[in-house]
Amino acid sequence: MKKLVISIVLLNLLAACASQKPKEAAAPAPAPAPVAKAAPAAPAQTAVDPLNDPHSILAGRSTYYPFDVSVVQAADKPLVEAHAKYLSQHPDRKVRLEGNCDERGSAEYNLGLGQRRADGVMKMLEAGGAKASQLSAISYGKEKPRALGHNEAAWAQNRRTDIDYMQ
Amino acid sequence: MLRILSGTLGLLMLAHSAVSNAALSIEIIGAGEHQIPIALVPMGGDEKLGAQINDVVTSDLTRSGLFRIVDSAGKSPHETADVNFNDWQLRGADALGIGNVSVQNGRIEARFRLLDVVKHDQLLGEAVSASDSQMRAVGHRIADLIYEKLTGDKGVFSTRIAYVNRQPKSYSLIVADSDGYNDQVVLKQREPIMSPAWSPDGKSMAYVSFETGHAAVFVQSLLSNRRRAVADFPGSNSAPAWSPDGKQLAIVMTHDGSSQIYLINPDGTGLRRISFSGAIDTEPNFSPDGQSILFTSDQGGSPQIYQMPASGGAPQRLTFASGNSFSPRYSPDGKSFVFANLTGGQFYIAVQDLQNGQMQTLTEGGWERKPSFAPNGKIILFASEARGRGILATVSSDGRVQQHMFTQSGDAREPVWGPQP
């Protein structure tokens, strides 16, 4: 996890430098220069919330599931872990996990399934360092579909948990 | 406004506006195995009112699929003495309805007779009375009398249904007559409404509303419209079901970890957990004797129907058919249950005998969900889809007659049949 966060920070730094010196920044010779540059850039780094960086993994706010499954899938674990780390570093931030389902199943069963999906993400965030007081989980079941249509393309969009940062 | 109108003119205007404002338009598919041929002569006296009532009776009996309406044109007896039974026998009618109706002191007074054409005998002679804004109620009452006399089962034309109408930006909880007329908005809001449940006395409605930002259970009086949150705990609170005596609700909550079934008093006190599977246990439904609860659970790996004692205890799995099963409800006699079965990507409405476990699929399949029995056990109301819209549908308990009911706009969903008034 630490590795992951460090690499994110590095990516952000590189992205910040990229517009001015795309290749040179990586060269070893002018090493002091980038460091000297990085120092004044640091306040700017904290000012830009990585949550608002479209290139950050934190830009991803949804986990997706197979039919009738509520366990966070391997592909989505890095995303959830990154949010856990962010939340542990920003104890003032709160998120609401919103579970959703495709339309197959009764409204009430899907409400339960969506809650289980949201609770699953919540537990993983807590295990990753977020505080329980930062987290809440609700379910919309199949009541608020993102995509309409009786087909797998729509269903796949709707089987998800949204990580919603509260303002 | 309707009360200001009086006399025949007022009734006529009411009837016309009711026709143009019918919340649901109805299509009938199929017919009963043995249709009873019946002729209905529009009642005499106030002939316009008689014709309106006759339309309601005719449409009720036709919708049931159990009657064939014999043409009564050219003949208009209103008293038994004026009836030439041979005429009606020649037209193929077994039964004949006649009578008179008038409006007195703001009330509709109808005298109705049902005659046995073959035996030249009177089967029924009843006086039906209602306020002059209740023309349709008079028709439903007469249709109930005919239905009960000729089929032996209680009629359900005077009962009501509830459903949720979803528009692009709003959800409305609607209560209407069983034919979709007299629709009234119980609650309208932007956030979803789910799972309406009639109290056994028909005076209150429990439902799930997302107005507090998540699913919470409310109970609302249909008389005063006063409402209270019964369960609004963190997580989801849902799936309310009334005990037959109306003193308890079974609800589903997730605040102990997963969707589990609890009992709670309608005033929000006396919370008690009764299911402990750790899986999703939901959609509880009390047996008519109050002793057992049917519910949906995935404790065996996929959603299936289970039964347990209403006081809690070991659940027993009831459905083993292919696919997943949801939304169980006991039949009014407690001998079977209806549910939605999802097999091969299609939802079917099915019934299963509680004694021998035999399952019968009643519908052809599609997006058919959320079934509930009419109080007489002869008709099942469910949510379906047609022409890309959510509609209400009914199927007779033998699967022979189906109806599709279209709302004027939006999607109709989450229907539930109300109790006998």
Side-chain angles (χ1 to χ4, degrees), chain A residues 19-165:
Chain A
S19 55
Q20 294 170 337
K21 295 187 169 183
K23 286 278 176 190
E24 290 88 325
V35 171
K37 263 197 148 182
Q45 180 62 30
T46 53
V48 177
D49 193 330
L51 212 50
N52 302 326
D53 177 359
H55 301 294
S56 164
I57 186 172
L58 296 173
R61 300 289 167 86
S62 299
T63 58
Y64 295 90
Y65 306 85
F67 175 62
D68 205 12
V69 167
S70 54
V71 176
V72 175
Q73 301 297 288
D76 288 329
K77 280 184 179 165
L79 171 74
V80 178
E81 283 162 356
H83 282 286
K85 195 73 189 174
Y86 177 85
L87 285 165
S88 71
Q89 290 167 348
H90 298 79
D92 55 319
R93 297 308 305 264
K94 291 185 173 174
V95 293
R96 185 167 73 174
L97 294 320
E98 299 166 353
N100 292 271
C101 302
D102 73 30
E103 60 184 348
R104 291 172 296 171
S106 64
E108 285 288 353
Y109 180 78
N110 280 324
L111 193 67
L113 181 62
Q115 188 71 42
R116 199 151 69 181
R117 284 174 177 161
D119 286 345
V121 174
M122 184 161 74
K123 276 175 196 148
M124 190 174 276
L125 288 172
E126 215 176 332
K131 295 255 180 335
S133 58
Q134 291 176 275
L135 309 169
S136 63
I138 64 158
S139 175
Y140 288 126
K142 66 180 183 67
E143 302 309 305
K144 293 195 171 184
R146 179 186 282 173
L148 297 173
H150 302 319
N151 53 65
E152 179 50 34
W155 294 332
Q157 284 283 307
N158 295 334
R159 292 189 301 263
R160 66 177 202 285
T161 299
D162 289 332
I163 302 170
D164 186 12
Y165 279 83

Side-chain angles (χ1 to χ4, degrees), chain B residues 197-206 242 246 419:
Chain B
W198 292 87
S199 64
D201 64 6
K203 291 176 182 166
S204 300
M205 190 78 72
W242 296 82

